Amino acid sequence: ELFEKKNYELRIAGGAVRDLLSGMTPQDIDFATTATPSEMKEMFTSAGVRLINNKGEKHGTITARLHEQNFEITTLRIDVVTDGRHAEVEFTTDWEKDAERRDLTVNSMFLGLDGMLYDFFNGYEDLKNKKIRFVGKASERIQEDYLRILRYFRFYGRIAEDPGDHEPTTLQAIKENAKGLAGISGERIWVELKKILLGNHVNHLVQLMYELDIAQYIGLPLDGNLEEFARVTKNIQNLSPKPMTVLTALFKVKDDVTNLDLRLKISKEEKNLGLFLVKHRQELTKAAGPEPLRPYQDFIMDSREANTNSKIYELLKYQGEEHLLREIQQWTVPSFPVSGHDLRKMGVSSGKEIGAALQQLRDEWKKSGYHMDKEELLSCLKKL
């Protein structure tokens, strides 16, 4: 209503339009408008609408807060200068010009609030046919922001039906511009890469990253273990793994994790998970016999770290052990029933002796599969 009153055009833009046309509820809704940032500020301020102070203004974005929600509204714009990382923009009132500078056809549509679709590059056709294409010439779009190479992969994994359904010219443009990813910050790459790792066709897309010479520029090992990756991505499909769990399949040695961290600045938790999986994926496996979970349970019981459980869950996903994963998620870590206080009551007085006795009892308790209770353990101590 505010925009209409002032005769500014306002439409929903980009990802939200794509989601609505796919029958999904968009996570956040961005708008595009013919109003400039200063016109918007004036309009919102006089209407008493709160503005969230953000740094988007020089790119043309104003964030308004209404009904406990933030809405980003961006002035239509044309890129004047781009260096492959960021662009200098000038404002326009031409909707097609704005659509032209967006990355993929499925992300370049606008939706009027009356339900009218504005689609200059056949984005709706592509969405219905599950085709991922750049707007205009692929190489030009990529050179405006090299991160678009990874966005291409991400949306391919989200929308395309079959692996391998790429336009040859697109793959060629990606290969020729792969090196541009070297100049993109690790944090931005990691955000995209994580989404690719959790999408469809991940095995196909990562193999493609190696074929198109992208891997080396985004922190992946030069000789990634693609066979292991293919095996693990098959195992893990319906187990909701963490991105790092999937990615670790490429790594042969723990230096691969360290190098990834140097390039992408992953979180400490992600790094630790990668190192844990590289170290234990081969030796820590299920036991033969009636208690297949025992090695994992023993590992958790012996560990002094807080989040060992979740690391073990990821290890079981990596190994494709779906039923064991379900079992261990229902297992409650038992607590050791004997304390130093119990031993003092039995007349063990020196701290050193208490420590040694507790350790012996812990070993007995572990051998019993954590079933012995306090009485049994203490009578066991008398024998010892």
Side-chain angles (χ1 to χ4, degrees):
E1 285 168 10
L2 290 174
F3 280 81
E4 260 175 13
K5 214 187 294 177
K6 294 275 191 192
N7 285 329
Y8 302 131
E9 287 178 274
L10 180 74
R11 296 173 189 170
I12 297 172
V17 183
R18 179 197 67 236
D19 288 346
L20 288 166
L21 291 174
S22 311
M24 287 155 58
T25 306
Q27 297 217 298
D28 45 8
I29 299 184
D30 295 334
F31 291 89
T33 184
T34 50
T36 65
S38 48
E39 289 168 336
M40 283 193 269
K41 269 165 85 173
E42 190 184 322
M43 173 175 74
F44 284 133
T45 315
S46 59
V49 173
R50 199 173 133 216
L51 297 177
I52 305 285
N53 188 13
N54 77 336
K55 300 182 186 68
E57 203 181 310
K58 62 175 188 295
H59 302 296
T61 302
I62 295 288
T63 306
R65 184 145 179 96
L66 282 145
H67 309 298
E68 304 303 304
Q69 268 193 64
N70 292 353
F71 295 96
E72 286 195 356
I73 309 118
T74 302
T75 308
L76 298 181
R77 55 204 184 158
I78 306 168
D79 291 337
V80 194
V81 195
T82 55
D83 63 1
R85 285 189 304 187
H86 9 64
E88 280 181 39
V89 298
E90 82 183 22
F91 302 133
T92 178
T93 52
D94 183 335
W95 290 89
E96 184 169 353
K97 284 263 191 289
D98 185 274
E100 220 167 74
R101 45 166 288 286
R102 292 174 182 260
D103 54 1
L104 305 165
T105 59
V106 294
N107 294 336
S108 72
M109 299 176 275
F110 302 106
L111 186 62
L113 299 179
D114 55 358
M116 177 75 158
L117 182 67
Y118 298 88
D119 177 13
F120 301 100
F121 298 100
N122 290 336
Y124 192 27
E125 269 312 291
D126 286 344
L127 192 60
K128 283 192 288 203
N129 298 326
K130 304 193 184 315
K131 292 287 278 185
I132 299 298
R133 294 187 308 121
F134 283 102
V135 170
K137 274 189 73 172
S139 54
E140 286 174 16
R141 289 295 81 73
I142 291 169
Q143 283 161 19
E144 287 161 1
D145 180 356
Y146 292 104
L147 192 68
R148 287 174 167 177
I149 290 175
L150 295 184
R151 284 176 61 85
Y152 173 85
F153 286 133
R154 162 151 72 100
F155 285 105
Y156 192 92
R158 204 157 128 185
I159 289 168
E161 201 120 50
D162 309 304
D165 184 19
H166 307 270
E167 292 184 350
T169 51
T170 300
L171 295 186
Q172 188 57 33
I174 288 175
K175 190 176 172 122
E176 285 165 10
N177 289 287
K179 201 173 176 182
L181 281 164
I184 300 290
S185 80
E187 290 89 340
R188 286 182 77 206
I189 287 173
W190 187 221
V191 168
E192 290 297 326
L193 189 54
K194 282 194 278 199
K195 291 177 180 167
I196 294 167
L197 290 165
L198 298 184
N200 301 324
H201 314 311
V202 56
N203 182 40
H204 160 71
L205 292 171
V206 169
Q207 305 260 0
L208 204 51
M209 286 180 192
Y210 277 91
E211 283 166 36
L212 300 175
D213 292 337
I214 292 167
Q216 57 179 323
Y217 299 114
I218 59 172
L220 302 185
L222 283 177
D223 58 342
N225 192 341
L226 291 168
E227 282 132 46
E228 173 80 346
F229 193 78
R231 195 181 65 75
V232 170
T233 46
K234 206 151 86 227
N235 282 346
I236 222 163
Q237 254 163 9
N238 306 312
L239 303 181
S240 324
K242 293 183 173 168
M244 200 62 202
T245 306
V246 185
L247 193 58
T248 301
L250 280 178
F251 300 153
K252 294 176 180 171
V253 291
K254 60 180 206 286
D255 279 357
D256 291 339
V257 183
T258 318
N259 292 334
L260 181 86
D261 180 38
L262 286 172
R263 174 67 182 97
L264 302 187
K265 304 187 177 50
I266 61 180
S267 74
K268 198 166 172 188
E269 187 194 331
E270 288 162 338
K271 183 179 180 179
N272 288 341
L273 175 60
L275 292 169
F276 176 86
L277 292 170
V278 169
K279 185 173 177 188
H280 296 291
R281 60 189 166 186
Q282 242 86 58
E283 306 86 80
L284 184 49
T285 52
K286 64 180 171 193
E291 292 190 83
L293 266 183
R294 265 304 283 283
Y296 302 102
Q297 290 168 320
D298 287 350
F299 191 94
I300 289 173
M301 296 301 294
D302 292 342
S303 168
R304 294 278 174 267
E305 285 179 34
N307 57 352
T308 304
N309 284 33
S310 78
K311 284 185 191 152
I312 291 286
Y313 298 165
E314 293 305 306
L315 176 64
L316 285 163
K317 292 176 194 178
Y318 184 101
Q319 294 170 338
E321 299 287 0
E322 189 170 353
H323 52 288
L324 292 186
L325 173 67
R326 273 205 288 273
E327 272 180 57
I328 202 160
Q329 283 171 331
Q330 281 156 10
W331 176 65
T332 321
V333 179
S335 57
F336 182 52
V338 177
S339 70
H341 185 62
D342 301 319
L343 300 187
R344 272 193 287 276
K345 271 202 272 190
M346 289 179 63
V348 186
S349 54
S350 94
K352 205 170 179 184
E353 279 175 21
I354 288 179
L358 282 176
Q359 193 48 55
Q360 272 179 312
L361 292 183
R362 265 195 96 93
D363 293 342
E364 290 300 315
W365 182 57
K366 185 174 173 179
K367 273 184 219 153
S368 77
Y370 314 110
H371 294 308
M372 290 171 86
D373 62 16
K374 185 192 281 203
E375 271 40 69
E376 291 171 293
L377 284 165
L378 292 177
S379 68
C380 183
L381 183 69
K382 288 175 187 154
K383 289 191 206 115
L384 289 168

